[in-house]
Amino acid sequence: MIHQFDAVIVGAGGAGLRAALEIPEGYSCAVLTKVYPTRSHTGTAQGGVCAALGNEEEDSWEYHFFDTVKGSDFLGDQDAIEIMCYDAIRAIIELEHMGMPFSRNEKGLIAQRPFGGHTKPKDPNNPFGERVPVKRACFSADRTGHVMLQTLYENCIKKGVQFFPEFFVTDLIVQDNIIRGVVAIEIATGEIHIFHAKTVMFATGGYGRVFRITSNAVVGTGDGFAIVYRRGIPLEDMEFVQFHPTGLWRLGILVSEAARGEGGVLRNKHGERFMERYAPTIKDLAPRDVISRAMYTEIREGRGIQGPDGTYYLLLDLTHLGPEIINKKLPEITGFARIYLGVDPLKEPIPVVPTTHYAMGGIPTNVDAEVVIDDKGTKIEGFYAAGEVACVSVHGANRLGTNSLLDIIVFGRRGGKKMAEYIKERDFAPLPKDADEWTRKTVERLLNSNGKERVSRIRTELQEIMMDKVSVFRTEEGIKEAIEKIKELKERYKEVKIDDKGKRFNTDLIEAIELGNLLDTAEAIAYSALNRTESRGAHYREDYPKRDDQNWLKHTLIYKNEDKEPIIKYKPVVITKIPPMERKY
Amino acid sequence: MSFRYYGSRKSGSISWLLQRITGIFLIFAMVGHYILMHYSPETGHSYEQSVARFSNAYWKMFYLTFITLGLWHGLNGVWSILRDFKMKPWLAITLYGIIVVSGIAFWVLGVSTALHF
Amino acid sequence: MKVTFRIFRFNPETDEKPYYKDYEVNADPKDRVVDVLHYIKNEIDGTLTFRRSCLHGICGSDGMRINGKNMLACSILLQDLGYTDRDKTYKKPIVVEPLPGMPIIKDLVTDFTDFWKKYEAVKPYLITKTPPPERERLQSPEDVELIMEASKCILCACCTTSCPSTWSNDNYLGPAALLKAYRFIFDSRDEATDERLDIIDTPDGVWRCHTIFHCVQACPKEINITWHISQLKKKLVEREI
C-alpha cells in the first residue's frame, strides 16, 4: 500500500510529537511509531528538564551553557549548545502553557532542584572560578518524562495529528541525496506500506538494548541508527555511550539522579561516601561518566558488595532524607525499589550498578535538525533527525542529566519548523522503483529461513560482549574481541530462524529485524570506540587514559562499507566561547 | 470497535443525588417498619388497626411520602440497572415507557388508597 | 522452582477457537511475570505474542490478566503471586490471559481502538481562553497536588477493562477516560470546566460508575480512581444546585 504525506515523522516520543505540532494546517503529516505514542521511551525519564528559570535561586542560561560544554568534555558543538540553553527557558514556559503539570514552589512558580553537573559560580564575578550546585531542573515529582510525553501527545490529539501506531519502519527511501519516504510494516496485519513523503524526520530514540544491562525499553533497538547507516548516511560520535550510575542492581532499571539531587549519597561496602574522593567539590552530583567510572573502580578495587549471584553492587543511601521528601518527590523510584528488589528506601540503602542509558552519538544534524552527511555541511534534502537518535551535537562526549528532555523539545521544534518551510516550497520527489525491495526480501528471508540460529541467543551474546568489552572501561584488545564477535554474530544472523510464520502481529519477525538493527548499531559503536585512542567523557580507554585535544578534538563520522570495515572520517568541533580546559569537579 | 459518543444530556446529577437522599429516607423508613410491624405486636395488623392508622393525618403524610419516594427510588434504580446494559434506542424507550407508566399507575393506586380513609 | 504458565492463546489466522497452553518453566521467585513470558518466547515458543516495552511499569504496554486480576506483567514478581519457594514444584499454574472485554488481535494482544476513542472523547488537553502570560501560569503546590495523582495514569487500560460497568455496556467512558477528565477539570489552569462537565454528564458517562472499586484494585500505579470519579459526581451535583 502506498500513502502520500507531506511530512512523515518516525517515532512518537518527545522529539517526534514536538515536531508534529509544528506542521501547519493544510499539510498532511503522519507520525509512525512501533508502539502506541504514550508507550514511547520519553515517558520513562524521571528527574527533570532543565532551564535557567531562576525560580529558586539566581541562575543564568550562560551558566547552563558552560556546564553543558564542560559536561560534554568540550566535544559538544558550542553554537548548538548555546541555542539549546538559551531556548530552554522559552521551551519550558511553552510546555507549561501546553498544560504540563509541573511541581510548584511556594510562590506558585515551577519548582526546581539540583542535578548532576549543573552548577553556577560561587562568585558571580569570577565565572570560571569554583562552582557550586544550582537548582535548575524543573520537574514533576519523578515522572517528568511521563507527564511531558502525555502533554505533548494531548496537544497532538488537540491538533488532530494523524498517527500510525504499531507501524515498524524498516527502511528509508533516499536517492540522489533527496528523501522520498519510508517503508514500514504494519504490525497488526504484516502488510508492507510505503510512505511517499516530501520530508521525513527520524525521532526513533536510542539503542540501549545493544548492552545487557540497560535502563532502556525493550524497543530501544537502535532502528533509526541502523536504517540510515545501511543507507550510506554516516553516524556521528557513536563511541560515546552514557552509563547512568544508578540502575537497580541486576535489572538496570533507572533510579533517577534526582535521588542524589534531593540529597541521596552513594556508599561502598565500608559505608564510605566514596564520591568525596573522586569529585571533592560536587561529590555525588558529579556528571554521570565520572560517577560511573568511580563506581566501577570501587568494585574493581574490592569495595563493592557481592550479591548471591556473584555480581557486585554499591549502595544508594536515601535513608536520611525522611518520608516527606521520599514520598513526595521520589515516589516512583521508591516504588521500583520496593517492587523489584524488596528494598524499602526509607529504611535501607538501594543496591545499584551503572546501567546503559543514553546515546550521545547518532545521525549527524545541524542546529535545525537537518541531516548533514559530511564535514562540508552536505545535506540529505528533506531529511531531519531529532532526539536521542540525532547528534547535533549538544551532548558531546557526555550528556548532563535533564539535558535530554530539553534536547527533544528544543530540536524537535526546530526540526518541525524547518520541515514546515520545506513542504511549502518543494514538491514530492518521485519514488524509485521497488522502493520496498529491501524490506520485502528481508521479511521473506526471515519467514522462509530454515537455519538453526535463534534470535534470542544471538541477541544475548551480543549484549554480553558489548557490556563486557565496550562499556565503561575499554581497551583495544577488548574492543577488537567484541568486533570479532559481532562479525561472527552477523554471519550467524544470516542463519536465523523464527517460529512464527504468520502475518498477524508477528512480534517474532519484528524482533528478528530488530536484531539486525542491533548488530549494525553495535558495529558502529565498536569501530568508533576502537578508533578513538583517547579518553573523553563517557569514552574511557584504559590504554589511553588521557584526553588528547591535539589529535582528538573532533567528531567521528562512521560510514558503512558493505561487508568490509567501516570508513571513518572526521568533523571539527564548533568552539565559540569556551576553550577546552581541564575537566575537574 | 463500537464506542460512540452520543453527546451530553446533562441528565444524571439530580437523579443521582435524589437516589441517595431517598435511599437514606428509605433506610430509616425500613428500620421503622421492622420495629413497628414485626417486633412490636401491639401495633397490630388487623383491618381495624390498619384503617385507624390510615385515618391518622401524620400516618397519612408518612404513607404518601413513602409511596412517592419508595416508588421513585425503586424504579429509578431499575432504570439505572437497565442503563448498565447497552440498549437499542427503541428498547430503551419502550422500557423507560413501561417504567414511567407503571410508576404513575402504582402511585395513583397508592395515593388513592391512602386518601380513601 | 518449577511452575506452569497456563497462557491464553488465540491466533485468528489459524485457530478456530481460543485455547490455553501450558508451559512448564524453571523460574525464580524474584522473576517478573514478563521475564518468564520472555523466556517462553525466546526459548520455547516464538509464536507467543504479547506487548511490552519499558519493563518497569511506566509505559503501560503489558497490562494483562494474571491469575484472574488485571495487572502489569512487568510490575509483579512471582513471589507476589504466592510462588515464594525456590526449591518447590508448584502444581497450581499461573494463568495469563489478555485484558478482558476487549477484542483480541492475537494471544495476549488486544485491540485498544475503543479505549483511545473514549480517551479522546473527554478532550484530554488543556483548554485556555485567556491569552497566556509571558511566564508560567501560577499554580500553588496545593493546586498541583489535586491533579498529581491523576496525572500518574499510564493508560494501560487495567482499570477500564476490570470495570463490570464496562463489561455490560462498552459504551461507558470507563475509569481511565474519567480520570483523564478529572485531570483537566481540577486543573486550576483549565478554562473549559463547563464544557468538560457536559461531556461526562451522560448516561454513558460518569453515572455508569457504581463505586465498585475494581478499578482501584487493578490500578498498577495505585491511583484511587473511584475517589476521583466521585469528585466528578460531586462537582456535577454542585453545578446543578
Side-chain angles (χ1 to χ4, degrees):
Chain A
M1 197 172 173
I2 299 181
H3 310 257
Q4 209 174 46
F5 284 94
D6 292 316
V8 164
I9 295 168
V10 183
L17 295 177
R18 186 64 195 81
L21 290 175
E22 293 300 325
I23 306 301
E25 297 283 325
Y27 293 88
S28 58
C29 169
V31 179
L32 278 56
T33 159
K34 67 174 175 176
V35 289
Y36 277 109
T38 60
R39 318 292 186 219
S40 304
H41 195 59
T42 298
T44 63
Q46 298 169 357
V49 48
C50 56
L53 296 178
N55 283 354
E56 307 282 351
E57 56 183 308
E58 198 253 310
D59 196 6
S60 139
W61 71 266
E62 281 154 315
Y63 301 158
H64 184 187
F65 169 71
F66 176 86
D67 287 335
T68 306
V69 173
K70 185 178 169 191
S72 80
D73 220 346
F74 301 93
L75 192 72
D77 288 330
Q78 296 186 11
D79 55 342
I81 298 177
E82 185 170 340
I83 287 174
M84 180 176 81
C85 296
Y86 179 77
D87 199 32
I89 299 167
R90 184 205 55 75
I92 297 296
I93 300 298
E94 177 186 73
L95 273 178
E96 197 282 331
H97 290 165
M98 282 183 185
M100 181 156 154
F102 283 102
S103 292
R104 302 286 175 144
N105 64 18
E106 286 308 319
K107 282 178 260 173
L109 302 165
I110 294 171
Q112 295 184 284
R113 65 181 164 205
F115 233 79
H118 288 284
T119 63
K120 66 174 181 179
K122 205 167 182 182
D123 172 13
N125 298 319
N126 180 12
F128 297 117
E130 198 194 325
R131 295 176 82 90
V132 289
V134 66
K135 293 179 175 174
R136 187 180 290 148
C138 313
F139 62 97
S140 178
D142 52 358
R143 289 181 284 268
T144 317
H146 170 69
V147 295
M148 179 188 282
L149 180 69
Q150 298 273 334
T151 304
L152 289 171
Y153 182 58
E154 286 158 8
N155 279 273
C156 284
I157 298 281
K158 188 176 182 178
K159 185 169 182 280
V161 172
Q162 193 175 355
F163 286 96
F164 289 84
E166 296 185 330
F167 273 64
F168 178 63
V169 171
T170 51
D171 202 3
L172 188 68
I173 311 171
V174 54
Q175 219 175 33
D176 311 322
N177 280 359
I178 301 171
I179 210 76
R180 287 135 205 273
V182 297
V183 183
I185 301 175
E186 182 180 3
I187 300 177
T189 62
E191 197 186 335
I192 294 171
H193 294 250
I194 293 175
F195 287 81
H196 186 197
K198 286 185 194 171
T199 61
V200 171
M201 174 182 270
F202 264 28
T204 53
Y207 57 58
R209 287 281 151 180
V210 167
F211 295 85
R212 181 167 54 89
I213 294 187
T214 175
S215 63
N216 284 25
V218 200
V219 294
T221 50
D223 306 330
F225 300 86
I227 291 168
V228 301
Y229 186 55
R230 278 199 293 267
R231 284 282 158 211
I233 297 166
L235 295 174
E236 183 178 343
D237 291 343
M238 289 297 280
E239 59 271 40
F240 298 103
V241 183
Q242 179 164 77
F243 292 84
H244 193 290
T246 53
L248 283 190
W249 172 59
R250 283 199 327 140
L251 298 162
I253 294 171
L254 183 67
V255 178
S256 169
E257 209 162 297
R260 282 170 286 129
E262 297 290 353
V265 294
L266 288 161
R267 297 190 190 282
N268 61 21
K269 133 172 131 178
H270 307 300
E272 182 205 1
R273 187 180 179 185
F274 57 85
M275 279 315 295
E276 283 174 337
R277 278 187 276 119
Y278 297 90
T281 48
I282 59 175
K283 300 175 185 132
D284 295 276
L285 284 176
R288 291 169 177 174
D289 57 331
V290 177
I291 301 188
S292 289
R293 266 197 300 281
M295 289 173 76
Y296 262 64
T297 309
E298 287 295 300
I299 290 174
R300 277 184 169 192
E301 292 176 0
R303 291 188 292 275
I305 298 146
Q306 197 173 20
D309 63 347
T311 58
Y312 288 86
Y313 58 84
L314 291 157
L315 296 170
L316 174 64
D317 187 0
L318 308 179
T319 51
H320 54 287
L321 297 184
E324 176 65 14
I325 286 185
I326 290 186
N327 294 337
K328 270 261 155 65
K329 292 188 169 166
L330 307 165
E332 284 295 316
I333 58 175
T334 41
F336 297 153
R338 278 181 197 137
I339 294 174
Y340 299 117
L341 296 180
V343 167
D344 183 356
L346 281 168
K347 299 194 190 99
E348 327 157 57
I350 309 170
V352 289
V353 285
T355 178
T356 317
H357 189 55
Y358 188 82
M360 266 76 74
I363 306 170
T365 71
N366 62 19
V367 296
D368 287 315
E370 295 167 306
V371 176
V372 173
I373 55 169
D374 55 23
D375 57 343
K376 294 177 207 72
T378 312
K379 291 180 203 163
I380 301 269
E381 286 178 45
F383 188 33
Y384 301 78
E388 191 172 347
V389 74
C391 179
V392 186
S393 130
V394 282
H395 307 306
N398 172 62
R399 173 174 74 78
L400 291 189
T402 70
N403 266 353
S404 61
L405 287 184
L406 183 59
D407 174 6
I408 60 179
I409 50 171
V410 168
F411 293 103
R413 170 175 170 272
R414 293 178 72 90
K417 281 195 183 301
K418 275 281 159 183
M419 289 172 89
E421 283 173 27
Y422 189 94
I423 55 180
K424 283 176 192 163
E425 289 161 9
R426 300 285 289 259
D427 212 351
F428 283 92
L431 277 178
K433 243 178 93 184
D434 285 334
D436 58 354
E437 189 191 0
W438 185 89
T439 308
R440 259 189 299 110
K441 282 194 170 153
T442 305
V443 170
E444 265 165 42
R445 176 173 66 80
L446 288 167
L447 287 178
N448 299 324
S449 165
N450 275 317
K452 283 196 198 76
E453 294 289 346
R454 278 194 87 82
V455 171
S456 58
R457 205 68 46 80
I458 297 178
R459 191 172 53 209
T460 310
E461 285 181 35
L462 174 72
Q463 291 169 336
E464 295 279 349
I465 193 88
M466 290 299 282
M467 199 72 207
D468 291 345
K469 306 293 179 195
V470 202
S471 62
V472 175
F473 287 113
R474 298 166 172 175
T475 61
E476 180 178 332
E477 200 192 347
I479 302 171
K480 279 189 169 159
E481 212 181 301
I483 288 174
E484 283 313 307
K485 183 78 185 178
I486 295 169
K487 280 184 193 160
E488 177 210 316
L489 294 174
K490 281 193 155 190
E491 279 307 308
R492 285 167 55 192
Y493 176 62
K494 291 177 184 160
E495 292 299 312
V496 90
K497 176 183 179 251
I498 57 175
D499 293 347
D500 197 338
K501 309 283 188 193
K503 285 180 88 68
R504 193 180 176 92
F505 222 96
N506 189 341
T507 50
D508 217 16
L509 172 70
I510 301 295
E511 282 189 27
I513 301 173
E514 284 174 339
L515 175 61
N517 294 340
L518 285 174
L519 286 165
D520 280 334
T521 310
E523 174 190 290
I525 298 168
Y527 275 105
S528 302
L530 179 67
N531 181 60
R532 185 175 282 269
T533 50
E534 65 151 354
S535 289
R536 183 186 295 272
H539 173 67
Y540 189 83
R541 286 283 298 262
E542 288 184 271
D543 37 0
Y544 301 92
K546 288 261 173 318
R547 196 174 85 193
D548 177 3
D549 288 336
Q550 205 74 43
N551 296 306
W552 287 107
L553 192 57
K554 56 188 176 186
H555 298 292
T556 312
L557 292 175
I558 187 165
Y559 298 75
K560 192 168 173 61
N561 188 16
E562 290 306 313
D563 285 331
K564 292 196 275 292
E565 280 195 12
I567 297 163
I568 289 181
K569 294 180 183 171
Y570 301 98
K571 191 164 97 167
V573 175
V574 181
I575 295 171
T576 55
K577 287 184 174 162
I578 304 172
M581 57 181 90
E582 197 197 349
R583 183 166 169 255
K584 221 169 55 183
Y585 287 97
Chain B
M1 305 318 260
S2 51
F3 173 73
R4 225 188 111 198
Y5 183 68
Y6 288 98
S8 175
R9 232 85 39 97
K10 282 198 184 184
S11 56
S13 43
I14 292 301
S15 57
W16 179 84
L17 184 66
L18 281 179
Q19 187 75 354
R20 265 132 198 89
I21 294 171
T22 53
I24 293 166
F25 169 82
L26 288 174
I27 287 174
F28 285 110
M30 192 175 69
V31 171
H33 167 84
Y34 268 88
I35 293 172
L36 280 174
M37 305 308 289
H38 297 287
Y39 293 102
S40 35
E42 65 276 15
T43 317
H45 292 93
S46 68
Y47 180 78
E48 290 74 23
Q49 284 167 315
S50 297
V51 168
R53 273 203 301 282
F54 272 112
S55 322
N56 178 306
Y58 291 110
W59 273 111
K60 199 168 273 194
M61 247 160 68
F62 169 77
Y63 281 128
L64 288 174
T65 321
F66 187 60
I67 287 163
T68 312
L69 298 189
L71 262 178
W72 193 87
H73 183 90
L75 293 173
N76 187 49
V78 170
W79 178 229
S80 170
I81 290 168
L82 290 173
R83 265 293 157 100
D84 282 347
F85 300 90
K86 236 173 131 177
M87 293 177 286
K88 294 251 156 56
W90 67 265
L91 184 63
I93 291 166
T94 312
L95 289 172
Y96 190 68
I98 293 172
I99 286 172
V100 170
V101 169
S102 59
I104 292 171
F106 281 117
W107 189 79
V108 169
L109 190 66
V111 168
S112 61
T113 311
L115 295 178
H116 183 75
F117 296 98
Chain C
M1 65 183 179
K2 276 210 169 94
V3 59
T4 305
F5 267 62
R6 180 164 295 168
I7 304 180
F8 177 98
R9 303 293 310 267
F10 181 49
N11 180 0
E13 263 186 329
T14 50
D15 305 330
E16 256 176 44
K17 270 195 286 188
Y19 59 100
Y20 288 83
K21 195 164 174 183
D22 283 1
Y23 299 92
E24 247 182 66
V25 292
N26 269 317
D28 188 274
K30 282 205 181 324
D31 282 340
R32 297 168 283 192
V33 169
V34 75
D35 293 330
V36 181
L37 293 179
H38 268 144
Y39 172 78
I40 294 170
K41 183 168 180 68
N42 289 340
E43 305 297 332
I44 306 176
D45 185 351
T47 63
L48 176 66
T49 305
F50 55 98
R51 290 194 181 101
R52 80 281 178 270
S53 182
C54 78
L55 303 188
H56 61 280
I58 194 76
C59 76
S61 299
D62 60 354
M64 48 188 83
R65 188 151 67 157
I66 299 163
N67 281 353
K69 283 186 185 150
N70 287 1
M71 52 183 96
L72 299 178
C74 64
S75 298
I76 190 87
L77 308 185
L78 300 191
Q79 63 186 25
D80 302 331
L81 293 168
Y83 299 78
T84 47
D85 191 343
R86 199 168 261 119
D87 306 313
K88 207 171 147 182
T89 300
Y90 283 93
K91 284 230 173 63
K92 192 171 160 269
I94 295 176
V95 185
V96 184
E97 298 161 298
L99 290 174
M102 280 175 144
I104 287 159
I105 295 177
K106 183 174 167 186
D107 294 347
L108 304 171
V109 176
T110 54
D111 186 341
F112 269 60
T113 313
D114 264 13
F115 181 80
W116 294 117
K117 276 196 211 158
K118 291 174 185 180
Y119 165 83
E120 286 175 27
V122 300
K123 301 202 174 170
Y125 38 79
L126 191 77
I127 299 175
T128 53
K129 281 149 194 168
T130 49
E134 205 160 284
R135 292 280 297 211
E136 65 261 52
R137 289 192 172 85
L138 297 182
Q139 263 191 313
S140 70
E142 294 74 35
D143 288 341
V144 181
E145 198 53 40
L146 264 182
I147 56 167
M148 257 319 177
E149 195 177 337
S151 69
K152 268 159 66 173
C153 173
I154 57 173
L155 300 167
C156 62
C158 281
C159 59
T160 295
T161 57
S162 75
C163 174
S165 295
T166 320
W167 297 339
S168 59
N169 177 354
D170 59 9
N171 228 32
Y172 170 38
L173 284 172
L178 290 172
L179 186 69
K180 189 54 89 178
Y182 172 98
R183 146 82 184 82
F184 288 101
I185 288 170
F186 285 85
D187 189 325
S188 61
R189 300 168 295 178
D190 192 80
E191 291 168 358
T193 308
D194 241 12
E195 185 183 334
R196 294 183 187 286
L197 288 175
D198 284 350
I199 292 173
I200 57 167
D201 186 6
T202 77
D204 294 331
V206 73
W207 309 114
R208 286 279 68 67
C209 168
H210 303 311
T211 54
I212 300 165
F213 285 93
H214 269 201
C215 53
V216 181
Q217 258 181 358
C219 179
K221 305 313 282 182
E222 296 178 351
I223 304 170
N224 189 344
I225 307 171
T226 307
W227 180 86
H228 286 85
I229 299 178
S230 303
Q231 297 309 303
L232 292 175
K233 292 178 187 164
K234 274 193 198 165
K235 188 105 182 164
L236 280 167
V237 171
E238 277 164 22
R239 179 174 75 154
E240 212 61 33
I241 297 175

